[in-house]
Amino acid sequence: MKKYTTQDAHNRIKKLLYSLTGITLADNKDIMISNRIDKLKRDSKYQGDIMDLLDLVESGSYVTEFINSFTTNKTHFFREDFHFLDLKDRVLPKLAKEGGKIQMYCSASSTGEEPYSMAMTVLETKEELGKYIDASIVATDIDTNVLQYAANGIYRFSKSSKEFPNWIKPQKYFKRRVQKNLAGEEVLIKVKDELKKMITFKVMNLNDNSYPYQNNQFDVIFCRNVLIYFSAEDQNNILKKLFRHLKIGGTLYLGHSENPQDLINYVSRVGQNIFVKEKEIN
Ligand SMILES: C[S@@+](CC[C@H](N)C(=O)[O-])C[C@H]1O[C@@H](n2cnc3c(N)ncnc32)[C@H](O)[C@@H]1O
């Protein structure tokens, strides 16, 4: 006989998830939490009671499976494509003119579509300018499953095909492969090495006290559609930590429903959720 209610289990999950990741689950997420519990049990191959499984997570087992089950990884190529146009038309030509290595950071890369879109944008700019651009991208996420998926770089084309803006020809950047499956055939696209070698994928928790980068390291930081999972206070802390690693004059891209919080007095807004760092924040 269970000695706890579903709500007890959900409350415990919310606390545990917050302590491990900083993610805050709203009160109306009960159906989602139930579905994620099923996923956690499948992935951990744990058939017993959820409270016993949570005891194990608290004592250090199944932590990765727990985190991976409760992240939301929705993304697609060239999401909010005006950010990539800004990168191509404003940011990269200026940086290319200045010379030197361009360092970019994608702070919640999910299954990889966002950093690969950044890399394609670099190569398009290079072609437009007819000039060599030395650029690298660090792409991190807390979810190890999506990082593995990203590093493999294989996507279903049916999902991806609508996602490319007209200034990108996907055939330049992907190899196409038709694969037979039970439902018939599906087209897979595999990222070419030219893109892959620009990106380093790593696991990182944005809720950590500090990040393993140098001050003023990055010319560009993408932090999109991840802050929404944190409380306002935690969003502010994450933004301030990220900001230290952005160069003066560097560009920060945020997701459509995210805002720069306390950074507002230290940036200038140059487009829709596009901010240029003006000065350091203490
Ligand atoms: C909705 S996806 C957004 C992906 C991409 N940035 C975009 O805009 O399409 C959010 C990602 O944030 C990651 N995430 C959530 N909490 C995190 C944390 N504490 N540290 C790092 N990544 C986190 C999730 O694993 C997920 O892949």
Side-chain angles (χ1 to χ4, degrees):
M1 251 279 279
K2 282 202 310 191
K3 292 193 201 69
Y4 60 87
T5 64
T6 302
Q7 209 50 55
D8 293 335
H10 286 196
N11 288 340
R12 199 170 158 202
I13 286 171
K14 285 183 195 172
K15 270 197 195 145
L16 195 50
L17 186 65
Y18 181 74
S19 71
L20 290 169
T21 67
I23 295 173
T24 303
L25 291 177
D27 287 337
N28 60 358
K29 296 285 181 195
D30 282 337
I31 295 174
M32 179 202 134
I33 295 176
S34 298
N35 291 337
R36 302 294 177 90
I37 291 173
D38 292 343
K39 178 172 162 36
L40 171 61
K41 286 186 167 181
R42 269 196 318 275
D43 291 356
S44 59
K45 301 186 175 58
Y46 186 88
Q47 301 303 324
D49 187 84
I50 182 63
M51 287 298 205
D52 295 336
L53 179 49
L54 295 178
D55 286 343
L56 289 170
V57 177
E58 275 173 358
S59 61
S61 305
Y62 300 116
V63 173
T64 304
E65 289 84 349
F66 179 81
I67 293 174
N68 291 357
S69 298
F70 284 96
T71 55
T72 299
N73 310 114
K74 184 181 155 16
T75 187
H76 58 81
F77 287 108
F78 293 94
R79 183 177 195 179
E80 294 160 65
D81 63 348
F82 46 88
H83 284 168
F84 299 94
L85 262 186
D86 179 71
L87 187 62
K88 176 169 79 69
D89 294 338
R90 183 184 63 84
V91 176
L92 291 171
K94 183 167 174 283
L95 291 171
K97 207 166 159 191
E98 287 165 7
K101 191 166 174 56
I102 299 170
Q103 297 198 57
M104 302 199 271
Y105 181 37
C106 176
S107 64
S109 58
S110 187
T111 38
E113 287 88 334
E114 185 173 76
Y116 285 126
S117 300
M118 293 163 76
M120 282 184 263
T121 304
V122 170
L123 295 182
E124 283 299 317
T125 313
K126 185 172 146 188
E127 208 171 287
E128 271 183 25
L129 298 177
K131 192 170 175 178
Y132 176 69
I133 299 181
D134 185 9
S136 65
I137 300 164
V138 177
T140 64
D141 201 284
I142 197 171
D143 180 334
T144 55
N145 284 344
V146 293
L147 284 168
Q148 186 56 56
Y149 193 101
N152 286 345
I154 300 174
Y155 300 90
R156 279 198 196 87
F157 194 58
S158 50
K159 175 177 172 273
S160 331
S161 55
K162 296 184 272 4
E163 299 169 0
F164 296 96
N166 56 16
W167 50 274
I168 288 285
K169 300 273 169 288
Q171 58 271 28
K172 273 164 67 178
Y173 302 111
F174 298 89
K175 287 182 206 143
R176 198 170 170 279
R177 193 175 80 207
V178 179
Q179 179 175 280
K180 292 203 186 325
N181 60 21
L182 289 175
E185 278 184 349
E186 66 180 351
V187 177
L188 299 178
I189 54 174
K190 186 173 190 318
V191 175
K192 288 188 182 171
D193 286 347
E194 197 184 3
L195 289 188
K196 272 194 177 173
K197 68 184 182 203
M198 290 170 67
I199 307 173
T200 309
F201 290 102
K202 287 183 196 162
V203 63
M204 203 197 85
N205 184 352
L206 284 169
N207 212 37
D208 284 347
N209 289 336
S210 62
Y211 304 152
Y213 312 116
Q214 290 158 13
N215 286 349
N216 307 96
Q217 177 171 338
F218 296 107
D219 299 285
V220 170
I221 295 182
F222 275 64
C223 180
R224 307 189 315 158
N225 307 302
V226 60
L227 293 173
I228 44 171
Y229 299 105
F230 296 85
S231 69
E233 190 186 347
D234 291 338
Q235 293 186 18
N236 212 11
N237 289 335
I238 289 171
L239 281 168
K240 286 193 206 159
K241 282 182 277 178
L242 280 175
F243 204 58
R244 280 188 213 128
H245 305 291
L246 185 65
K247 288 180 185 164
I248 302 270
T251 298
L252 171 70
Y253 295 97
L254 298 180
H256 58 278
S257 52
E258 294 162 336
N259 69 71
Q261 313 261 14
D262 283 359
L263 301 187
I264 196 70
N265 296 320
Y266 302 86
V267 292
S268 55
R269 184 184 180 279
V270 297
Q272 202 177 330
N273 277 349
I274 309 175
F275 303 93
V276 170
K277 179 169 175 176
E278 297 287 340
K279 53 187 173 192
E280 297 295 348
I281 187 168
N282 295 318

